[in-house]
Each structure stands twice: as structure tokens, then as C-alpha cells.
Amino acid sequence: MREDLAELQRKAEAELNSAGSEEELLAIRTKYLGRKGLLTLLFRKIGNAAPDERPLLGRLSNEIKEALSVKIENALEKLAPQGKYGALLQEKIDVTLPGRGVRHGRIHPISQVSQEICEVFLRLGFSVAKGPEVELDYYNFEALNIPKDHPARDMQDTFYVEDNIVLRTHTSPVQIRIMEKQRPPVRIVSPGKVYRHDSDVSHTPMFHQIEGLWVDKGITFSDLKGVLTYFLQQVFGEDTVLRFRPSFFPFTEPSAEIDIQCIICGGTGCRVCGQSGWLEILGAGMVDPEVFKTVGYDPEEISGFAFGLGVERIAMLKYSISDIRLFYENDRRFLEQF
Ligand code: PHE
């Protein structure tokens, strides 16, 4: 039987070697490997052989079958693209290949943090307002009680587009634009891009701020404290410890800066908080009566508070990111972590 198998292989190979067309090759395949083919018939006879011979014979005939199939495939492929079979081979799709995978886009970490912050204020009844990034000097400075020769203008390095047009240096001009159009009560947050001539590990020339403004009858500094305390504890955790420090902004009086106890060292002092144990997070204050007069509100009748914060700074603290420039290098390995 072993002899028969070897003989069959020899014959089949000889026929294959002299076959020159697709039809001949397909005929050889049927003759030997088909359901009633010679090899198939021999295979069925293995059952009659001596029991200790069977495994060997089985393996042998499988090897021959495999070898012949490969030879026929190869020969057919060589003839491609002539003939129908060649065309089929060319269109063959290997459905076992691993897929190519679709990469998902993600919301940029700055957008995520910005949305998260706005959502806290939306829950408190604020709505979102937007303003232009290319802004008139009037809205960016003048109407915010920062006249042309005011030393406060030195606090910011401004990009001028023209004499009276700037890239806004903060989101505070949106306060003015909204109050000009709307009578109190006003309760808005305004997220967006701002620009300052500055660049190092914690500053980029473009960054994001969120402005907040609440104006109504009888708004007091305790409202400011309550809202901002709630906000910071929502973002940084219920146990966050705050500190309100007196400060100065031309458009608020009194003004404050709000620190949280360092979330890295817990207040004992580290590199992130400059050994002080505190992190500066927000600028805020009661809207200056001068600003109300400019937009036609009566400061005797209404009052309000405003605040501003940097989104990058909050994102950096939240995710322990030490270099602000990572946000803008478009390195997918960084961005895909969010
Ligand atoms: N506009 C201020 C800044 O960019 C922040 C601020 C906003 C302060 C509103 C007080 C009130 O530094």
C-alpha cells in the first residue's frame, strides 16, 4: 500500500509537470484529489491495512494530498491572470487576515476639562455665552475700567492686530458684550481662547479661560464665596480646602484671588506649589460700579460678581501634567490617554 501511494504521487507529479493549461491542471486535481479521485480511493482502503500500519499510511496520504494541492495551486497561480480560475484567484480575499482597526478620535483634554467646568455652572443655572477672539480695544480694556494709560495694561502682553483691535487677552470682554445687550439678571459662563505674548513650561501664547458673571439685585460677596467654593469642590473633590486672598483687578472691587491647598503635597510644600502649600486657581471680585455705569446698569440697584480661570492650569493640576506645551504638540500618545 505504501508502494501504491508513492507510485500515485510519482504519476500525479509527472502529469502536473507536463500540464500546460488551466483545464489540464483542474482535470488532474479532480482525477487525484476529487471526491472519487485516485488518492481519495486509496485513502479509503487504509482501513483494510494492518492496524499498526494505519497511522503511518494515514499520515503519508495526507502529506501527499497536501503536497499535490500546493503544487496544483502554485501552477494555477502561475497561469493567472489568464483564465477564469486566475481571475478568481486575483479577486480572492483572505477573510482570516486581522482587520485594520479604526482609530477613534477623542475630545481634546482641554475641551474635556472646559466642558466639565461649564457643566458645574450649568447645574447652578448659568448659561454659556461666547464672544469674539479678535476684539476691540474698547471691550478688552476700556469698558473694563482699564483706560489707555492705565498701568494695568502692563500686566498683560497684548497682541495688537491694529491700533484699536487686539487678540483678546482675557475672556472678560464677554461680560461687557452680554451686559450691553441684556438687562439683569445675568448669569453666564464664557469659555474660550485668549492670547498673551508669553511662552514657557506653564504659558503658551494661546490658552483657554472661562469667565463667569452673576448680576442681579442683592448679589453679595458671600454668593461669590458660596458659588466658587461649590465649584472648586466639584472639580477637585469635596475635601478641597480654599483660601481667599485680597487682590486687585481694575474691573472688580473688592477683588480676590482664590487658592486651593496643594493637591499634590496636601499643603506641606512641594515643587508644584513652589513650597507654599497653596495653588492659585481663580481671579474674582465684585463687579466695579464703573463697569456697571459703562453698560448702563444702575450700581445702586444691582450688584454682581465675576471670576476668571485658566483651563490649562486646572487640567495640568487635575492630571499632573508638568508641561503645558504637551497640550498643543498633537502627540497622539499623549492625547489618547484622555
Ligand atoms: N480677567 C482676569 C485675568 O485674566 C481674571 C478675572 C476675571 C478677574 C473676572 C476678576 C474677575 O486675569
Side-chain angles (χ1 to χ4, degrees), residues 156 169-170 172 175 196 209 211 249 251-252 283-285 306-308:
Q156 295 158 348
T169 59
H170 51 180
S172 302
Q175 292 184 28
R196 292 182 198 177
Q209 281 193 337
E211 189 81 6
F249 299 101
F251 37 92
T252 49
F307 58 91

Side-chain angles (χ1 to χ4, degrees), residues 145 175 192 232 237 302:
N145 201 27
Q175 292 184 28
L232 288 172
I302 47 92

